[in-house]
Amino acid sequence: MIDYMKLGDEYLLHTYNRYPIVLERGEGVKLYDDKGREYLDFAAGIAVYALGYGNKEFNDALKSQIDKVMHTSNLYYNEPACIAAKEVCYATKMDRVFFTNSGAEAIEGAIKTARKYAYLKDGSTDHNIIAMEHSFHGRTMGALSVTGNEHYREAFEPGIGDVRFASFNDIASLEDLADDNTCAIIMETVQGEGGIYPADDGFIKSVRKLCDEKGILLILDEIQCGMGRTGYMFAWEKYGVKPDIVTVAKALGNGVPVGAFAMTSKVADNSLVPGDHGTTYGGNPFACAAVIEVLRQFKERDIVSHVKELTPVLEVALDELKEKHDIVSDRRGMGFMQALELKEACAPVIAEAREQGLLIISAGANILRIVPPLIINEDDIKNMQIRLDKALAKS
Ligand SMILES: *Cc1c(COP(=O)(O)O)cnc(C)c1O
């Protein structure tokens, strides 16, 4: 038998300390490794596999598109891209969309859009961007430049220019940084990698107001918290504010690599024009067939209501774990994007959970991140609780 861990360690660039299992296939909310061991998956490939594994209608939609054509380039129209564009605009309540291959690329596009918008307004090129401390927007140079974790950025400086970091949920710190040259404020509606911190209601409303007063574009990064995860199609809906530009990825393709940035017509009509931006793969028929089927199933199965209905069940289960185990200091989150903060490092708990047949991930050294597929039921939550209870007791 081939030792895949050894093979990977020998040839894959060592940018990840991978967990020591080889995942082979999935069914529903379960994953199986190459030894046939079953894992209840409360990680969903980092908030990606929202509709579960082995989803027959989804797989069939992809197969049928493969048999037609997978790629055409954006030099021509293709059926899935045109349909997916309309569906994504409906879902995001935006007017125009550009498809990318990843979340980071969606951030790049959003930044370019904001810069072009500001450039057309005043003809200058010295605009700044305000991002948040502890934010995460991706690993490409532009996305990295607006990521609020210095450790991720340091070795790769200089970034893309004048980026300023405000404290999340602190409007005064934002007001101090904003000036006439600020072209965009970028933030996650619910911070993900930074530790699962939802925006305060007052904060996000004040940010919107500040943007309107100063003509700054608000970019909400909903790559992780969007697509139903919080019990809203997009998390901003809870606050009643709307961004000017939104970035989407992760669950958008249910495992097929695809992202998007979408914007209002006011932004679209005053920013990127032919020649300004492009992608060879982005929005290809294969990726867009995935997007169409994902959004179709969201509607048909009313995924958003399902998340909303089951959120209290998940929260109660996690609160019970918090009450029972001294090492848990906090439970927070929105919908199926939850965190258990520990008083110590969470790596041993994650390892023990895996031994118990449960996959969970972290968001920082001592924060357990719970981002299951959106189709979990009450039994799955009970099972998670039993397994995580054992893991917390043992570590
Ligand atoms: C994952 C993530 C990204 C980056 O997406 P990639 O597909 O990994 O490039 C950006 N923003 C947020 C909020 C994310 O969670």
Side-chain angles (χ1 to χ4, degrees), residues 102-105 107 136-139 188 193 221 223-224 249-250:
S102 66
E105 280 172 84
I107 299 291
F136 181 83
H137 298 293
R139 303 298 198 143
E188 297 151 90
E193 310 292 316
D221 180 351
I223 288 170
Q224 188 162 163
K250 292 202 161 85

Side-chain angles (χ1 to χ4, degrees), residues 158-271:
I160 58 161
D162 192 349
V163 178
R164 304 162 180 193
F165 292 95
S167 354
F168 192 56
N169 284 333
D170 176 358
I171 189 67
S173 85
L174 246 176
E175 284 164 350
D176 284 348
L177 295 173
D179 61 28
D180 291 342
N181 286 334
T182 304
C183 69
I185 293 173
I186 181 167
M187 57 187 251
E188 297 151 90
T189 319
V190 181
Q191 288 193 331
E193 310 292 316
I196 316 292
Y197 293 99
D200 291 342
D201 191 60
F203 175 70
I204 199 163
K205 288 194 169 100
S206 304
V207 173
R208 180 68 267 178
K209 198 158 152 267
L210 179 70
C211 287
D212 291 340
E213 282 164 11
K214 288 199 173 289
I216 299 169
L217 296 181
L218 176 59
I219 303 170
L220 288 181
D221 180 351
E222 294 247 355
I223 288 170
Q224 188 162 163
C225 63
M227 295 297 296
R229 179 146 300 276
T230 62
Y232 297 83
M233 192 62 192
F234 289 92
W236 78 67
E237 292 168 20
K238 181 185 176 207
Y239 305 88
V241 300
K242 211 180 134 177
D244 302 293
I245 304 173
V246 62
T247 56
V248 193
K250 292 202 161 85
L252 180 64
N254 196 51
V256 171
V258 58
F261 61 100
M263 63 198 79
T264 62
S265 51
K266 184 184 129 200
V267 178
D269 293 345
N270 297 286
S271 57

